[in-house]
Amino acid sequence: MDAELEFAILSDATGKQLFEQVIKIMGLREVWYFGLQYTDTKGFLTWLKLDKKVSSQEVKQENPLQFKFRTKYYPEDVTEELIQDITINLFFLQVKEGILRDEIYCSPETAVLLASYSVQAKFGDHSPEIHRPGYLMSERHLPQRVLDQHELSKEQLEERIQIWHEEHRGMLKKDALLEYLKISQDLEMYGVTYFNIKNKKGTDLWLGVDALGLNIYEKEERLTPKIEFLWNEIRGISFSDKKFKIKPIDKKAPDFVFYTSRQRINKHIHQLCMGNHELYLQRRKPDTLEVQHMKAQAREEKHQRQMERTQLETEKKKREAIEKERERVEKENQEMMMKLLQFEEQTKKFERDLKEQFERARILEEDRRRVEVEAARLEAERQEALMAKEELARQAEDQRKHQEQLAAELAEYTAKFALLEEARRIKEEEASEWQNRAKEIQDDLEKTREELQHVMLSPVAAAPMAVPMSRAMMEGPLENDHDDQEENNSTYSAELHVEVIEDHCNEEERITEAEKNEHVQKQLMVTRLNLSKALLHKMTKNDILHNENVQAGRDKYNTLRQIGMGSTKQRTDEFETL
C-alpha cells in the first residue's frame, strides 16, 4: 500500500519463510493480524498458504511474483490491542484505503474529521507559514462519493479539513493514527468480510465475518445486520461442498446452515472463522509473555514520548518567549529607526532652510551693494549740482546784467535740483531699510547656526539588538479451490475449543467513540451542519440507511446488542424465515 519490497527466495521456499522475511524487514511482531495475498491463475484473490511451498501454489506467473501484505484479522478495540507503532500504521493505511475506495462506508462528516487526523499524522501541527493554501491537494483525503455529493470545490473542502487540523495542535503522529482508528472501528462495515450466501429457502443474503462473530445482512444492504451469532455461542463449524454448517453451544438450538455458490468460498469462510475465533478466545485470556513484554515496551516508549513531548513543549514555550522578546526588540528598533529617519529628515530640512537663508542673504548683500553704488552716484550728482549752483551764483553775480536771460535756465536747474534731492532722499531711505533687513537676516542666520550646532551635537541612544537563540497470530493458510482434485468433494469440519474464561471485553456494553468524547460529538455535528448546506441530494442507499440509523439513535454497538437478544434457537429460526 505504501511501499514495494523485493525478496529473493529459493525454489523450495515455503510461504512461512517468505512471510518471515517480510515481517523481519518491517520489524513487525504482532504478526497474527496479517497475511500475504496474491492473485491466482484464475484471477481470484487468495491467501498464501504458509505450510506449502510458494512454487506449488497457483500464483499468477509474473516476474517477480506479486504479493500484497494485508490485514487478515481485525482487533475488537485498537486502543487495547494494537501495540507496535508499525502495526498501528499498517492498520491505518489499510482502513484509510478502504474508506477512500468506499469499501467501508463512512458518512461525509466523519470522512472530513478522519481526514483531519490523517493530515495531522502526515504534516504535524498546522502552521500558516508552512501550510499554504493548496497543501492538501497533493493527495486524496475524501471518498469520491463525498466530493460528488456536495456543491463544494476542492479548496472549500480543504478549508473544512484544515479547520479541524488546526484543532489537533500538539497531537503526536501515533496519537493521531489511533484517533483515526478509534473512530473508524465504530463504522458499521469496519473489519467485516462479506460473503454472498443463501438460507434453506434460497433467499440471497450476506454473511459478515468479523472479530466478534457472524452477522447476517439482507441482500440489499450491508450496513445494518439483522442477526448476530457471537463466537462464544458457536461450538463447531464444518462444510461439505457448497453447504456450510455451524453448531451452536446451545443444544436446544438447531444447526445454523447456509449455502454458497462454490466450495472455495466455504474454504475462505472456514479459515476466517477459525482465525477470528482463536483471536476472540485469546483476547479473553491473560496476555502471553511476549505480549506482556511488548506492552511493557510500548508503555516505556509512550512514557519516553510523553517526556520528550513535555520537554518539547517547554522548549517551544521558551522559543515563543524569545520570539516575542525578539519581536519586541525589533519593534523598538523599528521605532528608533523611524525616529532617526525623522531626525535626519529634520536635519536635511534645516540644511535646506539654511542654504535658502544664505542665498537670501547673498541676494540682499548684492542689493545693498547696488544701493550703495546708486547712493554714491546720486551723491556725486548732488555735489555736481552744488558746484553748478555755486558756479551759477557766481555767474549771476558776474552777469547780473544777464539775469533775465538766465532766469529760465536757473529755474530749470532749480527744479532739477529739487527732483534730485527728492530722489536722493528716497534712495537713502531705501538704503537704510535694506541695511536694517540685512542686519535682521544676519541675526537669524547666526541663530539658525546655533540651533543646528545644538541639534547636531545632541546624543542619539543606540537601540539594543537582540540575538535570536538557535534550537535546536501467526495463523495457518487460507484454503482455496485450486487444491488437488481429490479434495473437491471433501468435507471439512472443526470443533471450536470453548473454555470457561472471564470475559473482560464487555462487548455488550461497548459504546462508540463519539458517545465517549463530547468534543468528537461536537466536531461531527458542526461538520454535518456545514456540509448539509452544500448537499446536492445525490445520496446513495448507504447514505439513506445511515441517516435513518442516526435519526433513530442507532449505532453499530446498540444494533449488535439489539439483534443479539433472544436465544440462539430464536435467531436461527429467524434466519430461516428471511
Side-chain angles (χ1 to χ4, degrees):
M1 293 177 292
D2 194 42
E4 289 188 2
L5 301 175
E6 188 168 334
F7 299 90
I9 60 174
L10 300 175
S11 58
D12 60 348
T14 63
K16 181 180 179 181
Q17 290 172 326
L18 175 58
F19 185 76
E20 288 177 345
Q21 284 192 59
V22 175
I23 61 176
K24 182 177 180 181
I25 288 291
M26 299 172 66
L28 180 67
R29 298 175 66 185
E30 297 173 88
V31 298
W32 45 86
Y33 294 116
F34 304 96
L36 291 175
Q37 200 174 54
Y38 66 91
T39 302
D40 64 19
T41 55
K42 294 185 179 179
F44 295 110
L45 283 175
T46 308
W47 292 102
L48 183 68
K49 299 175 183 180
L50 304 186
D51 60 342
K52 291 189 177 182
K53 294 180 181 179
V54 175
S55 58
S56 69
Q57 303 182 52
E58 296 187 5
V59 182
K60 185 178 180 181
Q61 294 304 306
E62 298 176 295
N63 189 16
L65 301 178
Q66 301 291 320
F67 298 92
K68 289 184 179 181
F69 188 83
R70 307 287 285 181
T71 300
K72 191 175 183 181
Y73 305 105
Y74 286 79
E76 293 178 31
D77 188 340
V78 294
T79 307
E80 297 295 329
E81 298 177 49
L82 300 187
I83 305 171
Q84 284 187 287
D85 291 354
I86 179 66
T87 312
I88 294 171
N89 192 53
L90 289 171
F91 268 93
F92 162 75
L93 291 173
Q94 185 155 331
V95 173
K96 179 183 177 183
E97 181 184 41
I99 291 174
L100 294 181
R101 290 183 177 182
D102 236 355
E103 295 169 356
I104 302 173
Y105 173 78
C106 181
S107 65
E109 63 272 15
T110 305
V112 172
L113 179 58
L114 289 176
S116 69
Y117 286 113
S118 174
V119 170
Q120 176 69 19
K122 180 176 181 178
F123 294 101
D125 291 345
H126 180 268
S127 172
E129 293 79 16
I130 300 174
H131 304 124
R132 301 289 185 180
Y135 76 105
L136 299 179
M137 293 300 182
S138 60
E139 64 179 81
R140 185 178 165 197
H141 296 282
L142 296 171
Q144 188 62 39
R145 165 181 52 83
V146 175
L147 300 176
D148 296 340
Q149 286 175 340
H150 296 84
E151 196 175 10
L152 294 172
S153 64
K154 289 186 177 180
E155 291 77 10
Q156 291 171 315
L157 286 169
E158 175 186 336
E159 182 180 354
R160 281 158 174 78
I161 296 173
Q162 178 184 323
I163 292 172
W164 299 124
H165 179 200
E166 293 172 354
E167 284 205 2
H168 304 327
R169 176 170 295 277
M171 186 178 291
L172 300 178
K173 178 180 179 179
K174 180 179 180 180
D175 296 331
L177 296 181
L178 275 175
E179 289 299 323
Y180 187 102
L181 292 174
K182 283 162 64 176
I183 295 172
S184 298
Q185 71 183 359
D186 294 336
L187 301 177
E188 291 88 345
M189 298 176 72
Y190 165 88
V192 182
T193 304
Y194 295 91
F195 299 93
N196 195 351
I197 66 169
K198 293 182 180 182
N199 59 11
K200 293 178 180 179
K201 290 173 60 177
T203 305
D204 283 331
L205 300 166
W206 288 106
L207 171 71
V209 183
D210 65 11
L212 290 174
L214 302 176
N215 299 317
I216 305 299
Y217 303 80
E218 292 182 339
K219 183 61 178 178
E220 297 304 319
E221 69 117 328
R222 297 191 295 174
L223 212 60
T224 308
K226 300 302 178 183
I227 305 171
E228 178 196 33
F229 298 94
L230 295 176
W231 294 121
N232 59 7
E233 298 179 286
I234 300 173
R235 177 166 54 91
I237 57 175
S238 63
F239 69 92
S240 177
D241 195 18
K242 301 176 183 179
K243 179 181 178 180
F244 203 102
K245 182 190 297 185
I246 297 174
K247 295 180 180 294
I249 291 178
D250 186 357
K251 296 181 179 181
K252 296 179 182 180
D255 291 344
F256 174 56
V257 178
F258 59 83
Y259 300 86
T260 60
S261 59
R262 54 176 62 92
Q263 189 185 47
R264 64 176 298 273
I265 296 177
N266 278 343
K267 291 181 180 181
H268 195 172
I269 296 172
H270 183 271
Q271 184 60 38
L272 281 179
C273 288
M274 294 292 292
N276 276 301
H277 181 268
E278 178 62 28
L279 283 173
Y280 182 87
L281 296 179
Q282 192 65 43
R283 282 189 286 265
R284 286 151 180 82
K285 296 178 182 179
D287 291 334
T288 63
L289 290 176
E290 181 184 10
V291 172
Q292 290 178 27
H293 179 265
M294 284 193 291
K295 287 186 176 181
Q297 185 178 356
R299 284 192 298 269
E300 183 179 346
E301 291 174 354
K302 182 178 180 181
H303 178 68
Q304 183 65 28
R305 283 196 300 268
Q306 288 175 341
M307 292 179 60
E308 292 174 355
R309 183 176 181 178
T310 302
Q311 183 179 358
L312 183 62
E313 289 295 326
T314 302
E315 292 177 355
K316 185 177 180 181
K317 289 179 181 179
K318 289 181 180 178
R319 287 197 304 270
E320 288 175 351
I322 293 171
E323 185 66 21
K324 288 181 180 179
E325 180 65 18
R326 185 184 66 81
E327 291 176 356
R328 184 188 66 78
V329 171
E330 286 183 354
K331 185 178 180 181
E332 291 179 354
N333 289 341
Q334 289 175 357
E335 291 175 354
M336 189 63 68
M337 289 298 295
M338 289 297 295
K339 291 180 181 179
L340 183 59
L341 290 174
Q342 290 175 359
F343 171 75
E344 291 178 352
E345 188 64 29
Q346 290 176 353
T347 302
K348 291 178 181 178
K349 184 176 183 300
F350 287 146
E351 290 177 351
R352 289 195 300 269
D353 292 344
L354 184 60
K355 287 181 181 179
E356 291 175 359
Q357 290 177 4
F358 273 125
E359 184 65 18
R360 287 197 296 269
R362 186 186 63 77
I363 293 173
L364 290 173
E365 181 65 20
E366 291 178 354
D367 290 343
R368 185 185 66 78
R369 290 175 181 175
R370 285 197 299 269
V371 169
E372 287 179 350
V373 171
E374 185 66 18
R377 186 182 66 77
L378 291 174
E379 180 64 22
E381 289 180 355
R382 188 181 70 80
Q383 292 296 332
E384 288 177 1
L386 287 174
M387 292 174 65
K389 181 180 178 182
E390 292 175 356
E391 183 65 25
L392 288 173
R394 287 194 299 271
Q395 289 178 0
E397 185 67 29
D398 294 341
Q399 299 178 3
R400 192 173 295 178
K401 300 180 208 179
H402 304 291
Q403 186 173 6
E404 293 179 359
Q405 184 179 358
L406 298 174
E409 294 179 2
L410 181 60
E412 181 181 356
Y413 278 107
T414 302
K416 184 177 180 181
F417 177 76
L419 291 173
L420 290 173
E421 281 291 328
E422 182 63 19
R424 183 187 65 78
R425 183 184 64 78
I426 292 172
K427 292 296 183 179
E428 287 178 349
E429 291 177 354
E430 289 179 353
S432 177
E433 182 180 353
W434 282 108
Q435 288 174 352
N436 291 334
R437 290 177 62 187
K439 187 175 183 304
E440 291 174 355
I441 290 171
Q442 187 66 26
D443 293 340
D444 291 341
L445 182 59
E446 291 297 326
K447 184 177 180 181
T448 301
R449 285 174 176 170
E450 292 175 359
E451 292 176 349
L452 180 59
Q453 185 176 8
H454 176 71
V455 172
M456 294 294 289
L457 294 177
S458 297
V460 180
M465 297 299 289
V467 180
M469 182 183 294
S470 61
R471 72 157 193 120
M473 132 179 83
M474 178 74 64
E475 275 304 315
L478 182 73
E479 298 290 341
N480 62 29
D481 59 342
H482 310 297
D483 291 311
D484 298 333
Q485 291 296 323
E486 61 268 18
E487 293 185 1
N488 289 341
N489 296 319
S490 299
T491 299
Y492 295 81
S493 65
E495 290 298 320
L496 299 182
H497 186 55
V498 180
E499 298 180 4
V500 179
I501 57 176
E502 181 182 355
D503 189 350
H504 55 81
C505 294
N506 296 323
E507 63 268 13
E508 297 298 331
E509 300 176 5
R510 190 166 175 180
I511 60 175
T512 64
E513 187 65 24
E515 288 182 276
K516 299 177 191 174
N517 193 324
E518 291 184 4
H519 184 60
V520 172
Q521 289 183 41
K522 180 181 176 182
Q523 288 177 313
L524 292 174
M525 187 181 299
V526 171
T527 309
R528 185 184 302 117
L529 180 61
N530 291 335
L531 292 177
S532 65
K533 297 176 182 178
L535 187 62
L536 293 173
H537 300 291
K538 298 179 179 179
M539 299 180 69
T540 65
K541 188 166 186 177
N542 280 340
D543 290 315
I544 297 171
L545 291 169
H546 173 77
N547 290 337
E548 289 176 352
N549 288 339
V550 171
Q551 292 173 4
R554 293 191 297 265
D555 59 44
K556 177 179 181 178
Y557 302 112
N558 58 33
T559 297
L560 292 176
R561 285 192 290 270
Q562 182 179 357
I563 65 174
M565 296 173 65
S567 67
T568 307
K569 181 180 185 304
Q570 289 174 327
R571 281 175 277 144
T572 304
D573 293 341
E574 184 182 353
F575 169 73
E576 296 301 339
T577 60
L578 291 175

